[in-house]
Amino acid sequence: MKTNFNPDVFKVKEPPCIKCHENDLDFKLFEDVNGDGLDWVQWYCKNTSCGYYMNVELV
């Protein structure tokens, strides 16, 4: 299937962890989790021993 956009436009560098400063953050997308239409993203540190995360609601 041919796309009508350049997928490289959506490639961005992940932000660095503000707690350990050693790794970049990764993210998970949660859609309609509780059946109420709420979507949110959870950014989390790739370093499992760090444990930093940040939840962001998509409006």
Side-chain angles (χ1 to χ4, degrees), residues 3 5-13:
T3 58
F5 64 90
N6 181 350
D8 290 335
V9 171
F10 297 97
K11 290 183 181 177
V12 296
K13 182 170 176 20

Side-chain angles (χ1 to χ4, degrees), residues 15-56:
C17 179
I18 61 173
K19 182 177 176 184
C20 73
H21 304 285
E22 295 180 14
N23 292 307
D24 294 337
L25 298 179
D26 204 351
F27 72 93
K28 297 176 189 174
L29 177 63
F30 297 90
E31 296 179 281
D32 196 20
V33 175
N34 298 321
D36 57 6
L38 179 67
D39 300 332
W40 51 281
V41 174
Q42 181 180 70
W43 293 91
Y44 62 93
C45 184
K46 292 179 184 177
N47 180 358
T48 56
S49 63
C50 173
Y52 175 78
Y53 69 93
M54 173 179 48
N55 294 330
V56 178

